[in-house]
Amino acid sequence: MPLKLPDRLPAIDLLKNENIFVMDTSRAATQDIRPLRIAILNLMPLKITTETDLIRLLSNTPLQLEISFMKLQSHTPKNTPIEHMMMFYRDFAEMRTEKYDGMIITGAPVEQLEFEDVLYWREITEIFSWARTHVMSTLYICWAAQAGLYYHYGIPKYPLPMKMFGIFPQIPLDPKLPIFRGFDDVFMMPHSRHTEIRREDILSNPDLTLIAESEDSGVSIVMARGGREFYITGHLEYAPNTLDNEYKRDKDIRKDVAPPRNYYRNNNPQNPPMVTWRSHANLFYTNWVNYYVYQETPYNIDDIK
């Protein structure tokens, strides 16, 4: 089954060019199926890029998904046309009475600020709290993972001496978990961050389970509440050229920018990127939708609590 997306969303044409099957709201209305409702709180600066990255991964499930984009009232994005936001996004205040089978909360370029210094901290923590009673399973990505772990469990973040930037091998610590069905013993994950959460803090909290980690990039995936929350420190959703674009942007601004590790062929920035994470990224999102959303959510969505 394809995804049910808002009419005229730019990602539709972009993904159709990649031979990915999506359909708009008008066509989906003719199918007598209850789609799984997925909310995406997109905090990344380039909204359309992130929309496309996430929809590309969600499109591989055989289930029909209805995607709704959420925005903050307390923050106005600078890099996305206001017309796009008005057409495809709704404020949290408009969505708070609704329930969703799944939710994805993205990273944000604010990780070097203290959590409480982020302008929208009050609103986003309200969303974190709301998700616990209105969403069956929530994925927290990168900064959102750090913020969610801090808000829900008091887990601090720590500055890194150098940016964690590149593609790093990750080890599934409990391969029998449904989220890892079909995974190899090692999988790759892109990272792009200036801060970290530490293993000992996760292990000292009995409500948290460290389910994947890396010798190079540290804590990778944390699970809580039996899979109702996943905290992912990297970016499985990244497209092949995302780190390349980020590296070229930053090196034109500063001279101390190192190229992303394990990314370019032969670690040479003159060569094209080598994609090593895409298959496991697709598998992760498919497993999440199937085993932690579809298999767990009640048929009557209002019964989520």
Side-chain angles (χ1 to χ4, degrees), residues 166-197:
I167 315 297
F168 301 98
Q170 317 292 320
I171 305 295
L173 300 180
D174 187 353
K176 293 184 179 179
L177 284 173
I179 197 70
F180 293 133
R181 283 183 180 158
F183 269 57
D184 296 314
D185 293 338
V186 178
F187 66 99
M188 306 300 285
M189 181 186 291
H191 286 262
S192 178
R193 51 186 167 83
H194 296 274
T195 56
E196 67 174 354
I197 53 177

Side-chain angles (χ1 to χ4, degrees), residues 34 37 97-99 133 298-305:
R34 171 169 112 64
R37 304 189 69 206
T97 60
E98 302 173 5
K99 294 197 174 182
T133 56
Y299 182 79
N300 183 352
I301 198 169
D302 291 328
D303 290 340
I304 293 174
K305 57 185 178 179

